[in-house]
Each structure stands twice: as C-alpha cells, then as structure tokens.
Amino acid sequence: MVSWILKKILGSKNQRELRRLAPNVRRINEFDEQFKSLSDDALRAKTAAWKEELSKIPDLQDQWKKLDEILPEAFAVVKNAARRLKERQQTFTVCDQPMVWDMVHFDVQLLGGIVLHRGRIAEMATGEGKTLVATLPLYLNALSGRGAHLVTVNDYLARRDAEWMGELYNFLGLTVGCIQHDQEPDERREQYAMDITYGTNSEFGFDYLRDNGMATTREQQVQRGYHYAIVDEVDSILIDEARTPLIISGPATISTHQYDKWKPLIEQLVRKQNMLCNRIASEAIEKFEQGDVETGGRLMFKVKLGQPRNKQLLRMMEDPDKRRAVDKAELSFYQDTRKEELFQLKEELFFNIDEKSNEADLSEQGRAFLNPDDPNAFVLPDLISEFTEIDLDQILSPEERDKRKAERQQHCDTQAERIHNISQLLRAYCLFEKDVQYVIEDNKVVIVDEFTGRKMPGRRWSDGLHQAVEAKEGVQIDRETQTLATITIQNYFRLYQKLAGMTGTAETEAAEFHDIYKLDVNMIPTNQSVRRTDNNDRIYKTRREKYNAVIKEIRDAHVKTQPVLVGSVSVEASELLSRMLKREKIPHNVLNAKFHMQEAEIVARAGQPGTVTISTNMAGRGTDIKLGPGVRELGGLMVIGTERHEARRIDRQLRGRCARQGDPGASRFYVSFEDDLMRNFGAADRMTKIMERFGLEEGQELEHRWLNKSVETAQKRVEQRNYLIRKRTLDFDDVMNMQREVVYTYRNEVIDSDEPRKLIFEVIDEAVPAKVKEYLDVDEPNYTGLIHWVNTTFPLGLTSEKAQFDTRAVDENAQFLVEKIKDAYQRKSSHEEPTAVKSLERYIILNAIDRLWQEHLYAMDALREGVYLRGYAQKDPLIEYKTEAYDMFVELMANIKNEVLNNLFRSTSNLQAFENFLATLPQFLMREHVPTAPTASADARVRQPVGAMAGVAAGDGDGEGEVSIDIPVRRSIPKVGRNEPCPCGSGKKYKNCCGRVA
C-alpha cells in the first residue's frame, strides 16, 4: 500500500527517469530554433568540426564525455536537417520506389534518442517512428570515427532503412553503408568503413566469425571494431534468436548415418503405436460409458504418454469430467510410491513422448520390435572393463591386444551410432510436423522460425536431427556438418563497448535484458494517446469452435469494409484459415513470410477498406500499417489473434499493429483448450472448472478479464522456462567464449604481427622446455625418447654422444635444444624468398590454430552432450563442464605449439628454396648395428654420413652447430653413365671426374 501511494506521488522509476531527461529535450529545441538561420553548408560544417575535434581525443571514455556535452546541439542539427528536407519535399528512391521526405522528430522521439545514446533500451509503441529515432544517436556516435552499427531483423529492412535514413545522413556529411548477404568481402569492407552501417544480426555475427576464425590476412578481414550498436526489434534478436547460436560449418570428413536403413522400421513402429493408442482410447471411452471413471482416466493417461495429439484423446479432453479423471491419474502415477507402476505403464507402449522436453524414448517392447534377435542391441558395452580383460589375457600378443581393443571400440561406436539414429528418427516422426516446424522446398527441409514464422534457409538442426527429418520426408539426406566457428548472439553483442536497443515490447523481458546484457529498459510515452480497444479473450473448448468464431468475426467486419489483420502462430494455421475464408468467398492475402519485400508491401496495404490479411504473428515487422480513407470512421484496423503465443511480447506486438499515432483500432484473441499453450502449461484446468460450473454447451465461449489473467499466468510459466534455457545456454557458452577470446586474440596477433618470427621463437621458447621436462624431469629420465622426438621434429641429427643430455641439468638441456633449433631455422629461412618468409611463418601458426580449434569445437560439442548424464551422479553438469573444458583448453594450447614445431621444417615458400636448404644438410643412411633407437623393443639403428657429405658430419670437432636430416638420396639430373662425358663440363669421362668422388 505504501509503495502504491509513493508511486502515485513520486511516479514510477521510469517516469522519474524521463523527467530527468526532459531539460535536454528543451535545450535541443532551443538549438533547433537557433540553427534555422544557418545555411546548409554552415549546418553541415558542424559535422566536420565535431569529427575533427573528436579525432584528437584518443581515450574512449573522454570521447564519450565529449559526446554527452554536444548531445543537445548534435540532436538539434539532425532535427533541423530533417525539417529542411521536409520543407523542400525532398524526393529520392528507396528499394527502387520513389519517396518524399515527410518526417521531423517529435519531442518523444528526441527522448527516445537520448535513451538510446545512453546505452539503454527504448520501448516505443508501433508506429512511433523508431527508424527516425535511431538517426539521432547514430549521427552523434558516428562523429567519433569508430563506426556505428544499426542491427535489424532482415536484409530488406536493412537496405530500406539505410537508403531511407541515408538521405538525412548524406545531407549532414556522413557516409552510410549496408551489409547484404550476397556481398563480396571487398564490398563488405567498404560498407563497414562508412560512418554508419546497417545490417542484420546474422550478417554482423558471421562476419565476426569469418574475420576471427577464418581470415588469414588483415586484407581478408572486413570489420573494424565494435564501438556502438543499436539493435532494432531488440527483443526479437537478443531474446527470440538467442537460443540458436551462429555457426559456420563445413561437411564432416566422414558420414556414418544409418537413417535410410532404420526409416522403414521406425515407420512401422509409429504405425503400431498409433493403432495401439487408438485401441486404448476406444477402451477408455467404453469404461467412461460404463461409469468406471478411474480406469478410463488411467487408460487416457496411457494414451497421453504414447500419443499426446491423438484425436480421440483431444476430443475426450474437452469434457471436464474426463479431463479431471486424466489429471487425477497423472498426479497419482507421479507420486514416489507409484514409480514402479508408472514404469510398467510406459513399458506397455512401444515408446513414450514428452512434448514439453521435446523427447521420445523407446520402451523395452519397442526395442524388441526393432531388434528381436539381439537383446543387447541398445546396450553400450563397458569399454573400460573389456579393455582390462584384454590387458590381463596373457595369451595374447601386444599386436593381438591392440587389434581386439580396436574391434571393441569399433563395435561400441557402431552401437552408439545406431542408438542415436533411431532416437533422432523417433523424434522426427513424433515431435516434428511438416508445415509447423519445417516446410519442404526444392527437395530440401527448410526450418520455420517458431517466433517469426519466417523460413530460415541454410540453417540446420544439429546432432543429426535435420538428417532424420530429411529421411522421414524422403528428400536428399545431406552430409553431417562439422562446426568450423561458432558464437551465440548474446556473446557477439556483448563485444560492443556501448549497446542500445529499441522495440515495441521489452517491458516483460526487462529482467533478462538487465541480467544478460546489462541493459535497462525505458518506456517512452506515445506522441498521441493510444485509442486501441483490447477486448477480452474468447475461450472455446475445441479448435473447430474457435476457428468458426474467428471466421464469423472476420465476415462481420468484412461486410462493413473494416480492414482485418489475422495473426496465426504457424504456417499450418494460416493455411487452414485461408481455406475456410475461400469457402466463405472472402478475398484475402496470406503472409507466410516468404519474401520480406512483398511482405512489407502487403502489410503496408493491410489498412485499406475491406482488406483481410492473414499473417504469422511477426510477419511484416518494421512496416507501419496506415489506414485508408474512411477506415477511421469504421473503428480502424481490427486485429484478431487466433491463438495465444508462448510469449506475451508476441501477443502485444500483434495488438500493436493497429491504432498507430492516435488512430482508432481494436484487438481480440481467440483461445481453445486444444491449443499447445493450454494443453502443456496447465491454464486449461481452472477454466475447465469454470465451464463446468456455468454449464456451457458446444459453440459457447467464455469471456472475462479474469480469464485473461489465467492465460497470462501460463505464458509467464513458459517465458520463465525459456529464460532458463537461454541462461543455461549462455552459462555453457561463457566457458567457450573465454576460450574463443584467447584463441581469436592470438590469431589476430599473428595476422597483425610485422615480425611473425618473434611469435615462432616464442613457441620454441615455451614448447621445447615443456617437452624436455616431460622426458627428463621425472624419476627415470628418458634420454632416448627425447632424442627420438627431437630428430623426428627437427633436422638436427642428434645422437647420444652429441647431445650429452646426461651431463647437463634439465633447464640447460632445454636451452641447448632451443639454441640449436633457432640456429637451424635461421639457416632454413636464409634459403627462402625474403618476401615470402613472413607469409609462410604466419601460415604455419594460423594453420595449426585453425585445424586444432575445429577439432576442439567438435570435442567440446561432444563433452556438452554427455556432461548432462553426470547429473545422475549428483554432480552439477556446468561445474563438470567447466573443469573438463579447462583441461581440454590447456591441452589445445600445448597441441597448437607442438603442431607449429612439427610444421616448422616441413613447410616452404618455394620448392626450389627447400631443395637448396636440403642440399646444405648432411644426408644419413640407417645402419643396423648401434643401439640409439627411441624404444628398447625397436631395432637398434644409428645414422652414419655417406657420400660427399661424410666429411662434413664426421670431420674434426664435436659436431656442435651442424644441421642434418634423414632423407632419401634423390638425383637432381638424369643418371650419367660411367663412360659418358662428365656433366660438370671438364671434358673428362664421368668415372675419371665427379664420378670418382661419388
């Protein structure tokens, strides 16, 4: 009560914040009045003066302070420029369409601009001109010369806004770029070099991955830093798309899937389950008719476990008594005392489906159907026990033991692959529906975004699920992909030093924005009062009744030529409504979000008299619906929602499509107990009781504002669940992010380095001593093993006598090897082309980083998939993941250094240069009589110099400083006969000249 009184007196936190910003708005308008007397050139000169002044301030924090100082003046310059364009009726083209500039910033838009400059989220209602608002902070922050980005949801909006607002920026002397998906790297670099750059979140993110994970020179990188970004439709990008990381992938080297093989059996299994569930449902109906409600409820619960979308089950769930019987049975079976009974109930089915967790699990009966002859077909062997048994078998030779272990490992891999393929096929058949989660286009499975209804070509479900769906639909099964580079949306946008966002609906997710992105939300008031009427939801028992009521309302509005916008949650629902409207002979447009440009045009026309537009809830976002002549008198645009979405934001966005800038409008949602939200998240229970109490018959609806609260409670549950999923994804990716930053920083250091040899020598200084300690800093030093490693990695030709490792301390031995390796490398480099050496050295390091980083990503994916099982051992999977990920990362960095060492003397810029280097080395043949081999069991061998180079290696002295390599002797010229003229040109026979030495 006290807080309510204080809020009434002092205002909410948001109102107090906006009151603090109000003086800035007054100052902007005062400057705007002053600037009216300036010429265009004088106004433009302010831009150049500020840019020059800010370029002399090196420190970022000091730059930001200066930007805060000039904010009122800079915003006034932008507003004044917009007014001049409007007064002149400036004409230009946007996306090949002629346009006239007709906008000047309102005071509330200035307020929104200040909020965006301060790195916050501005919640502004649809139609309040967010596109124009963004020009203010983008202009101000672009003055620093570090670049300012505007991120939007699709290529069309990025191009439209860049060309549209570009007219204003160009007038003020700033350059504008736009990133499109089909641009070449050179063109992208030009766009990023502009003062202001528009583009989509995926294009910005993928450019980051290509720059840091794939580019090998500075010229191949296109981005120039992460200074300031405004995210348009911030809730869509930072929340809805945050569950799916951005991944650049390539085809896996091998593909071992068996989806084709198991598809016929899974189809049969699903058919048998459907028949079984139909039979059980018929039995349940009989029991209910006989008055045995308890048994009927138990049987219906069994059907729910095996086929949640069974038509008979859904029809019975419309009856309050039967629904209560199912709920009672479900509650009783999930008690601890009846766990065994629940297990037995599940075993009576072929498999169980859990819609909430999106999982399908085979029962013993299902496993027996798929593999009747092999009871262990779904049991993974215990490799540790089997390997121990093989090691303890004294009869087996070492070779036979290795062979047996390889066979058992291969058997385990095949078994795991089969289990995984069957599991994914089962999910594809039972949980993924065509025209809901995906569509078929050009013989390919294309994912449909659950929030926007837009198709996402190029995206694939991970972990083999996409291939399982391809097998189910009988289209081409593409090869498995391997991750080359990946980052989550959250971690990409956290790279920016200052981030802001704008949307029509952010308030419900304010906590998440603050927790993850440290972004606060400010709600900006509308320029004119909102006149929209939000009617209560109408709630029906069945979808059939709901859709009939929707069609009736559309018909009533269409008769009086009031425009109607109908929002649906899936492609399937929009097509069903379209068929029903065709039957009623009502002309309409259907938007399934296939083409963004057409989508925007159709949505823009949705306010014309008599227009009926069916659209997925988010289609056409970013485009205002302006009312046609006479529509205001009819009540404005009517928005009808055919189903409540999981997120309240999406519903509010749909409502917000009408009643822009003080226009009239109305909205209403239609809900049924068969909707996924109502079935899965419990809001139907309370309403069933209400319907029962009032004795409602078929076709009658419930309608009351209290019922809206029940639906919103269900939505809050789903929002909380989805937030936890995103938070968990981020917790895991934070581990990867720290590793990614280390690897990408090292990679960029290599690319930017003018002297990559210093980095090569750093690797030698770190990796060689580590290897020496590995061999020598133990109870029994392994001198032979160290010599073997040195000679297989570097062309030093060390022997025990030359190395004399046993006469020095460990650190001295390390220093001895480091000096010899560096000396050998300097001699190799002296034979290379000087201009190519630096590129070669960069390539050696980058190649090691890239190859091993990709393998590391694959291993981390596998770790993440398996680490959840540790929860059964009462261990926190996240803690376990962090621990193992750290160990794997330490190993990765060590492997990168070893890979660099391995490739140091195996890479060349020019084959001739390499052969020149080899020609300076003593050539060794292997003799079989002196024991210097790396292991006791191997044949004892020693290198002895032969031929013309023998004197070099075996001459006087201790052999210090020489470089040698084991190579086969190759002729550089054709073989010369003993009696032929010597090729040296002496005129003698070969046997009496050079041949005598050879």
Side-chain angles (χ1 to χ4, degrees):
M1 187 68 183
V2 174
S3 61
W4 182 82
I5 293 169
L6 287 173
K7 190 179 284 188
K8 280 291 180 187
I9 298 169
L10 303 175
S12 65
K13 181 186 174 187
N14 185 67
Q15 289 167 336
R16 293 195 300 274
E17 191 70 41
L18 295 181
R19 278 203 295 270
R20 278 196 288 270
L21 299 179
N24 282 328
V25 175
R26 285 195 293 274
R27 287 190 64 203
I28 293 166
N29 288 325
E30 287 166 8
F31 278 118
D32 177 36
E33 285 297 320
Q34 294 174 26
F35 295 159
K36 285 180 180 178
S37 59
L38 295 178
S39 66
D40 288 355
D41 290 337
L43 194 68
R44 216 172 279 121
K46 288 188 170 292
T47 302
W50 282 326
K51 285 185 82 170
E52 187 179 354
E53 187 179 352
L54 285 160
S55 68
K56 295 173 183 175
I57 304 174
D59 184 66
L60 182 63
Q61 297 296 328
D62 291 340
Q63 270 193 348
W64 282 350
K65 286 177 185 174
K66 182 62 182 175
L67 291 177
D68 289 341
E69 287 175 21
I70 64 172
L71 181 146
E73 206 172 340
F75 277 24
V77 166
V78 180
K79 180 174 180 178
N80 198 274
R83 178 181 286 104
R84 293 178 189 215
L85 293 177
K86 183 178 180 181
E87 288 170 353
R88 293 168 193 173
Q89 293 288 295
Q90 183 84 9
T91 58
F92 52 99
T93 58
V94 174
C95 296
D96 306 319
Q97 299 295 317
M99 283 196 75
V100 178
W101 188 275
D102 63 347
M103 298 180 294
V104 182
H105 304 79
F106 299 127
D107 283 358
V108 290
Q109 290 175 316
L110 298 176
L111 208 55
I114 298 168
V115 168
L116 291 174
H117 169 69
R118 295 192 172 187
R120 298 177 183 174
I121 291 172
E123 181 182 295
M124 301 181 73
T126 303
E128 289 297 303
K130 291 186 284 291
T131 307
L132 185 65
V133 170
T135 58
L136 300 161
L138 284 174
Y139 169 80
L140 178 60
N141 285 274
L143 295 173
S144 67
R146 297 173 185 263
H149 296 164
L150 187 129
V151 187
T152 189
V153 290
N154 63 55
D155 274 348
Y156 167 71
L157 287 179
R159 181 188 165 197
R160 185 201 73 178
D161 293 354
E163 293 179 6
W164 191 9
M165 299 300 118
E167 196 69 18
L168 184 58
Y169 301 129
N170 292 332
F171 180 84
L172 290 169
L174 290 183
T175 55
V176 188
C178 178
I179 305 295
Q180 298 282 285
H181 77 279
D182 53 358
Q183 287 173 342
E184 293 297 318
D186 289 342
E187 192 178 353
R188 284 174 182 268
R189 197 177 304 106
E190 286 175 18
Q191 304 305 313
Y192 280 114
M194 302 290 187
D195 294 314
I196 296 166
T197 307
Y198 283 73
T200 64
N201 58 304
S202 56
E203 291 301 323
F204 282 118
F206 285 134
D207 281 339
Y208 166 79
L209 292 176
R210 281 188 286 264
D211 279 3
N212 291 277
M214 303 175 83
T216 55
T217 63
R218 173 55 66 192
E219 290 69 35
Q220 291 176 2
Q221 295 182 320
V222 297
Q223 292 185 333
R224 63 179 180 120
Y226 311 96
H227 171 236
Y228 177 70
I230 296 176
V231 183
D232 191 12
E233 309 296 3
V234 66
D235 56 316
S236 175
I237 291 173
L238 296 192
I239 291 181
D240 296 341
E241 298 197 22
R243 281 186 286 176
T244 309
L246 297 173
I247 297 173
I248 293 180
S249 58
T253 49
I254 55 170
S255 185
T256 56
H257 74 78
Q258 304 164 9
Y259 295 111
D260 288 336
K261 176 184 172 184
W262 292 103
K263 176 190 171 182
L265 277 172
I266 295 294
E267 276 186 344
Q268 288 180 41
L269 185 70
V270 171
R271 254 197 314 271
K272 285 180 79 71
Q273 175 97 331
N274 290 347
M275 290 166 64
L276 175 63
C277 288
N278 285 335
R279 192 171 68 246
I280 296 169
S282 300
E283 290 176 19
I285 292 169
E286 288 178 14
K287 293 294 180 186
F288 279 124
E289 287 172 353
Q290 294 166 8
D292 190 350
V293 177
E294 188 176 339
T295 308
R298 182 181 179 280
L299 291 170
M300 280 177 66
F301 172 57
K302 191 172 172 183
V303 175
K304 187 179 178 182
L305 289 173
Q307 200 182 6
R309 295 173 187 170
N310 181 282
K311 288 182 180 176
Q312 291 187 71
L313 172 69
L314 294 176
R315 210 169 294 125
M316 282 192 282
M317 293 290 272
E318 295 166 15
D319 186 306
D321 292 330
K322 292 172 185 173
R323 179 189 290 278
R324 196 182 303 110
V326 175
D327 292 344
K328 188 176 178 182
E330 186 170 358
L331 280 171
S332 67
F333 272 113
Y334 278 113
Q335 292 172 3
D336 286 345
T337 53
R338 299 192 68 182
K339 276 187 176 178
E340 286 187 17
E341 285 182 69
L342 178 61
F343 176 75
Q344 288 168 0
L345 190 73
K346 288 180 177 180
E347 287 300 310
E348 291 171 15
L349 299 162
F350 290 99
F351 55 84
N352 305 291
I353 297 172
D354 186 344
E355 280 190 303
K356 286 184 186 179
S357 62
N358 225 22
E359 292 295 335
D361 185 32
L362 279 172
S363 67
E364 202 58 50
Q365 191 180 176
R367 296 186 194 107
F369 173 80
L370 293 173
N371 269 84
D373 304 325
D374 185 1
N376 293 320
F378 291 88
V379 179
L380 285 177
D382 183 355
L383 286 180
I384 296 175
S385 302
E386 292 188 6
F387 283 6
T388 306
E389 286 176 19
I390 292 169
D391 287 334
L392 293 174
D393 191 341
Q394 301 300 324
I395 302 169
L396 300 174
S397 67
E399 291 77 15
E400 287 175 322
R401 282 180 186 151
D402 289 344
K403 185 180 176 184
R404 290 269 183 97
K405 285 181 181 178
E407 287 173 356
R408 297 313 300 160
Q409 181 69 57
Q410 180 63 38
H411 171 69
C412 180
D413 291 347
T414 307
Q415 197 94 321
E417 184 75 29
R418 180 172 66 244
I419 294 170
H420 179 68
N421 286 175
I422 289 171
S423 171
Q424 295 295 49
L425 272 171
L426 205 55
R427 288 180 69 199
Y429 272 93
C430 300
L431 293 161
F432 288 79
E433 287 187 47
K434 184 179 171 184
D435 291 334
V436 179
Q437 283 96 344
Y438 63 92
V439 292
I440 305 296
E441 265 190 8
D442 301 327
N443 205 35
K444 287 186 179 296
V445 171
V446 180
I447 300 173
V448 174
D449 188 296
E450 65 174 305
F451 287 97
T452 65
R454 292 193 174 102
K455 291 181 296 183
M456 299 189 290
R459 290 206 185 178
R460 292 176 65 82
W461 285 303
S462 60
D463 208 24
L465 176 60
H466 206 95
Q467 291 169 296
V469 175
E470 286 170 335
K472 168 191 169 185
E473 295 296 340
V475 301
Q476 177 188 332
I477 301 176
D478 290 337
R479 273 176 65 182
E480 290 175 60
T481 54
Q482 180 179 341
T483 300
L484 304 181
T486 177
I487 190 171
T488 57
I489 294 288
Q490 290 111 318
N491 277 321
Y492 172 72
F493 282 107
R494 293 200 300 190
L495 291 170
Y496 281 91
Q497 288 151 329
K498 187 159 65 166
L499 182 66
M502 50 188 187
T503 179
T505 47
E507 184 192 1
T508 57
E509 311 293 345
E512 182 168 349
F513 283 125
H514 184 270
D515 291 348
I516 293 178
Y517 303 99
K518 301 293 179 277
L519 288 172
D520 290 323
V521 177
N522 282 132
M523 284 157 283
I524 309 299
T526 54
N527 186 48
Q528 295 185 31
S529 300
V530 177
R531 294 174 57 197
R532 183 181 69 239
T533 304
D534 293 330
N535 296 302
N536 293 326
D537 293 0
R538 285 185 175 164
I539 300 166
Y540 295 84
K541 282 186 181 179
T542 67
R543 276 187 177 154
R544 187 183 67 255
E545 295 171 48
K546 177 184 76 174
Y547 283 131
N548 287 336
V550 168
I551 298 298
K552 181 178 180 298
E553 177 138 12
I554 294 171
R555 188 172 56 239
D556 293 344
H558 184 67
V559 166
K560 60 180 184 178
T561 70
Q562 182 181 11
V564 181
L565 177 68
V566 186
S568 65
V569 293
S570 68
V571 176
E572 182 187 41
S574 64
E575 289 179 348
L576 172 64
L577 280 165
S578 176
R579 287 195 298 272
M580 294 176 78
L581 285 172
K582 280 177 185 172
R583 247 193 340 259
E584 296 289 328
K585 295 185 173 52
I586 297 174
H588 59 280
N589 294 313
V590 181
L591 264 183
N592 283 342
K594 291 178 181 175
F595 304 105
H596 297 146
M597 196 163 175
Q598 289 182 16
E599 176 183 301
E601 289 170 6
I602 293 172
V603 167
R605 293 198 300 268
Q608 299 304 308
T611 305
V612 177
T613 308
I614 301 173
S615 158
T616 49
N617 283 357
M618 301 265 290
R621 225 178 142 172
T623 305
D624 284 347
I625 299 177
K626 295 181 181 178
L627 300 184
V631 171
R632 283 176 182 78
E633 291 72 26
L634 297 170
L637 179 67
M638 177 69 189
V639 170
I640 296 175
T642 58
E643 193 170 326
R644 280 284 197 166
H645 202 277
E646 285 184 354
R648 287 171 293 164
R649 282 179 301 107
I650 312 296
D651 292 343
R652 291 185 184 188
Q653 283 153 10
L654 184 61
R655 287 192 197 276
R657 302 314 302 263
C658 65
R660 59 177 292 282
Q661 289 293 333
D663 288 341
S667 69
R668 186 190 299 280
F669 278 89
Y670 286 78
V671 181
S672 83
F673 289 152
E674 292 180 0
D675 295 346
D676 291 344
L677 176 74
M678 306 295 278
R679 285 191 304 110
N680 291 336
F681 295 95
D685 301 342
R686 191 182 306 170
M687 297 190 196
T688 303
K689 292 172 186 171
I690 295 170
M691 280 195 151
E692 182 185 8
R693 191 177 302 146
F694 288 105
L696 295 177
E697 298 174 4
E698 183 167 336
Q700 289 185 290
E701 81 270 3
L702 280 174
E703 182 183 334
H704 197 280
R705 55 194 170 88
W706 290 354
L707 298 178
N708 301 354
K709 298 264 186 190
S710 292
V711 177
E712 288 194 4
T713 302
Q715 289 176 308
K716 285 177 184 174
R717 284 185 203 144
V718 187
E719 286 169 2
Q720 185 63 24
R721 186 197 66 161
N722 289 342
Y723 169 59
L724 292 174
I725 292 170
R726 290 190 291 269
K727 188 77 170 66
R728 196 68 169 170
T729 300
L730 186 64
D731 288 340
F732 277 92
D733 194 67
D734 277 343
V735 179
M736 271 298 298
N737 197 49
M738 287 185 278
Q739 298 183 3
R740 186 189 301 110
E741 283 179 9
V742 173
V743 171
Y744 284 178
T745 302
Y746 183 34
R747 213 176 172 283
N748 283 324
E749 188 182 344
V750 174
I751 290 172
D752 294 336
S753 174
D754 293 326
E755 293 294 333
R757 185 166 304 180
K758 287 183 181 177
L759 298 173
I760 294 273
F761 282 179
E762 280 178 18
V763 171
I764 294 172
D765 289 336
E766 292 173 15
V768 172
K771 272 290 181 185
V772 171
K773 286 182 180 178
E774 187 182 317
Y775 283 104
L776 304 186
D777 200 6
V778 289
D779 295 337
E780 295 183 14
N782 184 1
Y783 298 117
T784 309
L786 179 58
I787 290 172
H788 175 66
W789 175 76
V790 170
N791 286 334
T792 53
T793 311
F794 313 105
L796 297 185
L798 283 184
T799 62
S800 300
E801 293 77 19
K802 291 177 189 174
Q804 296 182 346
F805 287 140
D806 54 348
T807 64
R808 301 186 202 89
V810 174
D811 292 342
E812 291 171 346
N813 279 325
Q815 191 58 37
F816 164 75
L817 284 177
V818 166
E819 287 173 3
K820 287 186 79 68
I821 292 165
K822 286 183 179 178
D823 181 55
Y825 184 72
Q826 295 283 24
R827 290 181 62 181
K828 172 185 177 289
S829 300
S830 66
H831 292 277
E832 302 278 1
E833 295 178 15
T835 54
V837 169
K838 289 184 179 180
S839 296
L840 175 65
E841 288 169 342
R842 282 194 195 93
Y843 173 78
I844 289 170
I845 304 176
L846 291 175
N847 185 55
I849 293 171
D850 293 348
R851 190 179 71 77
L852 292 167
W853 176 244
Q854 288 167 21
E855 290 180 8
H856 180 70
L857 289 176
Y858 188 75
M860 290 287 281
D861 281 347
L863 172 65
R864 188 165 171 180
E865 289 295 322
V867 80
Y868 287 104
L869 297 174
R870 302 193 190 179
Y872 292 113
Q874 303 303 309
K875 293 179 179 178
D876 184 348
L878 182 60
I879 300 296
E880 294 290 300
Y881 180 75
K882 286 180 177 178
T883 305
E884 292 215 16
Y886 175 76
D887 294 339
M888 288 167 68
F889 185 68
V890 170
E891 187 180 345
L892 166 73
M893 298 310 288
N895 287 344
I896 287 174
K897 290 167 187 168
N898 290 330
E899 181 82 355
V900 171
L901 296 183
N902 277 322
N903 291 334
L904 211 51
F905 292 91
R906 291 177 170 84
S907 308
T908 182
S909 61
N910 179 283
L911 188 58
Q912 185 62 47
F914 196 58
E915 288 178 351
N916 292 343
F917 167 59
L918 295 181
T920 69
L921 302 181
Q923 299 172 13
F924 287 89
L925 292 179
M926 308 308 290
R927 304 291 188 207
E928 304 293 329
H929 57 273
V930 183
T932 60
T935 59
S937 62
D939 293 330
R941 299 178 294 183
V942 67
R943 302 175 181 85
Q944 289 194 347
V946 295
M949 302 300 291
V952 179
D956 297 335
D958 59 0
E960 289 282 335
E962 98 224 7
V963 179
S964 60
I965 191 167
D966 296 327
I967 59 169
V969 181
R970 291 195 180 95
R971 299 184 185 89
S972 58
I973 57 175
K975 182 176 180 180
V976 182
R978 285 174 52 75
N979 292 314
E980 291 179 16
C982 186
C984 73
S986 65
K988 297 178 183 179
K989 286 186 178 180
Y990 181 62
K991 66 182 179 182
N992 296 325
C993 188
C994 297
R996 185 176 56 194
V997 179

